[in-house]
Amino acid sequence: MNDGRNGTVKQIICIKWGTKFGPEFVNRLYGMVARNITPPFRLYCFTDDGSGLHPDIAVRPLPEFEYQAPVNTKGKWPKSRLWGDLGDVTGVVLFLDLDVIITGNLDDFFAYGDPDDTVLGLNPNTPLEKMGQTSVYRMRVGKLKPLQDIFRADPQAAADKFKYEQRFVTRNAPGGVKFWPRGWLAHFRMHCVPNFPLNYLREARIPDGTRIVIFPGDLNPPDAILGRWSDKDSHRAPLDHLRATFDGRRRESLSRHLRHYLLPVSWVSKLWRE
């Protein structure tokens, strides 16, 4: 199998388990990739349910990795299934979360650095820590297998110590990690949504130079399209949201309620499609 750097086929992988994300997320990811990459490429979806996926998506079963899942932790630890053997998928792969929006060309994600580098996003929530962000990362298949061995030995201890799987990867990846150039990735809530009070007046924007917008947390592309902070909310007109600050309808602190307002985002609707 060509690895996308030494060969000709650019390989993208994603993972879908459970019911949080339906097949439309994978199909729309495929469409966005196809519109923003120089072919040939292949998208592999590792999943427990491949029904409804576009026929050009290569469906693979979730890799076996027996462990007791950690409890009371926020990390997406099932992603650890991808750190070891991936069957017929070998070489260099680019991992993408299902809820990203691709806004620019992806070719440089395969050309950046050395093929053996493990490259992550830089988490903007912890700038002093220099923790990686695993919504978009590149690796050589199998290089992170030693992390599976550490995690398998005591999953709960690893989760308690590192909290998030991305911190675990950052601290333990063989040979260390590198980060994507500044500006390639944009965190939707932190980099796209205007600060209060402009969030009541202006639609979220795509920062210049952004290749991929990531959606950590509960706010996902369908929420951005509707103008809500999570699927537990509904969109309100700006003045009604402000009134809710004081009439007993808010569920958060005053400052969070004021900041957590979003106008419907037209470019997400335009770009997030098959």
Side-chain angles (χ1 to χ4, degrees):
M1 182 66 64
N2 292 323
D3 68 12
R5 175 67 183 267
N6 297 325
T8 59
V9 179
K10 301 178 180 73
Q11 299 185 131
I12 300 98
I13 64 171
C14 64
I15 186 171
K16 182 176 83 71
W17 71 90
T19 59
K20 181 177 180 180
F21 296 118
E24 71 277 7
F25 278 80
V26 188
N27 292 339
R28 290 172 181 177
L29 180 65
Y30 178 84
M32 291 186 292
V33 169
R35 291 188 292 273
N36 290 282
I37 200 168
T38 302
F41 75 94
R42 197 84 188 274
L43 173 63
Y44 295 89
C45 180
F46 293 87
T47 182
D48 54 4
D49 182 4
S51 59
L53 296 185
H54 189 285
D56 289 338
I57 296 171
V59 180
R60 296 292 184 271
L62 288 175
E64 293 294 331
F65 182 45
E66 296 300 328
Y67 61 88
Q68 182 65 39
V71 296
N72 299 321
T73 180
K74 296 181 179 180
K76 301 297 189 294
W77 293 97
K79 286 183 179 181
S80 62
R81 289 174 175 268
L82 302 180
W83 297 344
D85 177 43
L86 296 182
D88 65 340
V89 183
T90 61
V92 175
V93 295
L94 179 69
F95 172 87
L96 298 177
D97 268 348
L98 294 181
D99 56 358
V100 303
I101 301 292
I102 299 174
T103 60
N105 190 271
L106 297 176
D107 292 351
D108 286 343
F109 286 93
F110 293 90
Y112 180 73
D114 186 275
D116 283 324
D117 291 339
T118 301
V119 192
L120 287 70
L122 182 62
N123 194 316
N125 286 303
T126 58
L128 298 180
E129 183 186 357
K130 290 190 175 181
M131 181 172 74
Q133 213 288 337
T134 57
S135 290
V136 180
Y137 72 93
R138 197 188 74 209
M139 65 177 178
R140 183 173 290 280
V141 173
K143 188 172 181 180
L144 298 183
K145 189 178 186 304
L147 275 66
Q148 283 187 330
D149 299 332
I150 297 171
F151 187 58
R152 184 188 290 108
D154 195 337
Q156 192 62 55
D160 290 343
K161 179 178 180 180
F162 294 99
K163 307 301 181 187
Y164 297 94
E165 90 290 339
Q166 52 202 19
R167 179 178 285 119
F168 182 69
V169 173
T170 305
R171 298 287 174 264
N172 295 284
V177 300
K178 294 185 177 178
F179 299 109
W180 300 118
R182 183 180 178 87
W184 283 16
L185 306 183
H187 186 300
F188 180 76
R189 287 181 288 114
M190 297 183 69
H191 298 144
C192 300
V193 179
N195 292 327
F196 174 81
L198 296 179
N199 55 323
Y200 291 81
L201 303 172
R202 298 178 184 172
E203 184 179 319
R205 67 180 185 88
I206 305 172
D208 292 342
T210 298
R211 316 286 184 90
I212 302 175
V213 177
I214 64 175
F215 285 75
D218 294 331
L219 200 170
N220 289 315
D223 306 310
I225 291 170
L226 295 173
R228 63 189 186 188
W229 208 254
S230 77
D231 60 7
K232 301 178 181 64
D233 295 325
S234 58
H235 176 70
R236 296 187 180 111
L239 288 178
D240 188 46
H241 189 85
L242 290 171
R243 281 194 294 268
T245 307
F246 305 104
D247 66 10
R249 286 182 290 161
R250 65 177 169 91
R251 298 193 302 268
E252 303 177 294
S253 68
L254 173 63
S255 63
R256 289 173 66 86
H257 179 85
L258 291 174
R259 287 186 288 110
H260 290 179
Y261 183 76
L262 180 69
L263 293 171
V265 187
S266 59
W267 56 262
V268 174
S269 181
K270 178 181 177 181
L271 297 177
W272 193 59
R273 58 183 173 85
E274 292 188 21

